[in-house]
């Protein structure tokens, strides 16, 4: 896999504050020859204008992370797609790590371990739990920067058109093709979700939502609880 065959797809919604750091990070991969596509979900803070001014390709997609990622994949040309959240950064050497993970043919998709950046003392524990759970279940979260062969993305029909748990459902579908490549190198993601809502409150909320999802509650109902 050459750098040019890797497409980084980033859904964006009202991320003007985080945009400078995101674009600086993506510039490293653009310079390496990767295709970078930002998919804006009708931001109201000028996020799309900031990215376009910096020379990045920005398309407008229907609001919703799953829909935006699907729109980005449809517009991309790489043989491998990597879906990166706007508040997440890849580790050094990630291109080579992805290449190695997919080269053998044993894995059609994969994800990174995650490190959560923030002040709360529980954040490293949360990250350890996320990584451990993912290894045991083969289910990844979007914070872990999912990557996959385009043929695998197409084979499962892309991300499900649902407002929440799209990463969980996508993992379920991809597991029918192969187990994930679970890379120990860590992406770094923002802990703002936990720190803003409260760490324990967020942990309990997310476990309740996941349990309800596994028991068959629709994502449309769950997103109201999440908000």
């Amino acid at each position: 896999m050459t750098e040019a065959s890797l497409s980084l797809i980033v859904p964006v919604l009202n991320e003007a504050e985080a945009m400078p750091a995101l674009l600086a990070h993506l510039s490293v991969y653009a310079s390496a020859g990767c295709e970078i596509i930002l998919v804006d979900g009708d931001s109201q803070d000028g996020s799309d204008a900031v990215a376009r001014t910096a020379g990045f390709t920005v398309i407008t997609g229907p609001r919703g992370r799953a829909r935006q990622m699907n729109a980005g994949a449809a517009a991309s040309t790489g043989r491998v797609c990597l879906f990166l959240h706007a508040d997440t950064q890849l580790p050094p050497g990630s291109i080579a790590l992805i290449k190695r993970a997919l080269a053998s043919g044993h894995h059609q998709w994969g994800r990174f371990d995650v490190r959560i950046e923030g002040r709360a003392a529980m954040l490293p524990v949360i990250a350890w739990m996320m990584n451990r759970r993912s290894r045991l279940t083969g289910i990844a979260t979007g914070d872990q920067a999912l990557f996959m062969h385009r043929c695998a993305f197409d084979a499962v029909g892309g991300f499900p058109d649902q407002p929440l748990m799209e990463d969980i459902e996508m993992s379920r579908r991809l597991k029918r093709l192969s187990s994930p490549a679970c890379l120990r190198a860590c992406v770094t993601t923002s802990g703002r979700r936990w720190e803003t809502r409260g760490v324990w409150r967020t942990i309990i909320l997310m476990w309740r939502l996941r349990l309800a999802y596994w028991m068959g509650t629709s994502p449309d109902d769950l997103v109201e609880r999440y908000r």
Side-chain angles (χ1 to χ4, degrees):
M1 184 182 77
T2 64
E3 288 83 350
S5 67
L6 176 64
S7 296
L8 274 65
I9 298 160
V10 188
V12 173
L13 180 63
N14 297 326
E15 292 285 357
E17 184 177 343
M19 195 60 66
L22 171 64
L23 298 181
H25 180 62
L26 293 177
S27 293
V28 174
Y29 294 89
S31 297
C34 296
E35 179 180 47
I36 312 293
I37 297 180
L38 292 93
V39 189
D40 187 75
D42 192 25
S43 293
Q44 302 301 304
D45 64 354
S47 295
D48 54 339
V50 172
R52 287 192 178 98
T53 300
F56 285 88
T57 298
V58 182
I59 66 172
T60 301
R63 182 174 295 194
R65 186 170 279 162
R67 292 177 177 180
Q68 288 171 244
M69 291 189 291
N70 285 340
S76 67
T77 61
R79 290 187 292 108
V80 174
C81 295
L82 185 151
F83 298 91
L84 185 70
H85 287 184
D87 61 357
T88 302
Q89 295 196 353
L90 296 165
S94 55
I95 295 174
L97 291 172
I98 293 170
K99 176 181 178 180
R100 191 177 307 124
L102 299 179
S104 68
H106 295 308
H107 303 291
Q108 294 296 306
W109 66 292
R111 95 304 180 268
F112 291 85
D113 274 0
V114 66
R115 182 180 75 85
I116 305 173
E117 191 172 56
R119 295 170 294 178
M122 275 295 294
L123 293 180
V125 178
I126 295 169
W128 182 88
M129 292 171 62
M130 289 172 62
N131 297 331
R132 182 65 175 167
R133 182 185 67 236
S134 179
R135 286 182 186 281
L136 290 174
T137 65
I139 300 294
T141 68
D143 292 325
Q144 293 175 298
L146 277 74
F147 57 87
M148 62 204 69
H149 285 297
R150 177 174 298 278
C151 58
F153 178 88
D154 292 338
V156 301
F159 284 91
D161 187 7
Q162 57 190 59
L164 200 67
M165 304 291 176
E166 76 287 339
D167 46 2
I168 304 299
E169 184 59 33
M170 186 63 161
S171 296
R172 277 179 171 179
R173 296 179 180 184
L174 289 167
K175 279 180 66 178
R176 297 169 190 161
L177 303 180
S178 78
S179 61
C182 297
L183 304 186
R184 293 193 179 277
C186 289
V187 297
T188 302
T189 194
S190 170
R192 61 184 176 179
R193 176 177 58 186
W194 288 273
E195 292 182 331
T196 299
R197 296 187 174 191
V199 172
W200 283 108
R201 181 183 177 189
T202 303
I203 291 173
I204 293 169
L205 172 64
M206 295 309 297
W207 275 106
R208 284 178 174 173
L209 292 176
R210 286 194 180 95
L211 178 60
Y213 184 68
W214 287 113
M215 294 178 68
T217 303
S218 77
D220 292 317
D221 292 335
L222 292 177
V223 76
E224 295 303 320
R225 302 185 199 179
Y226 180 76
R227 290 171 178 165

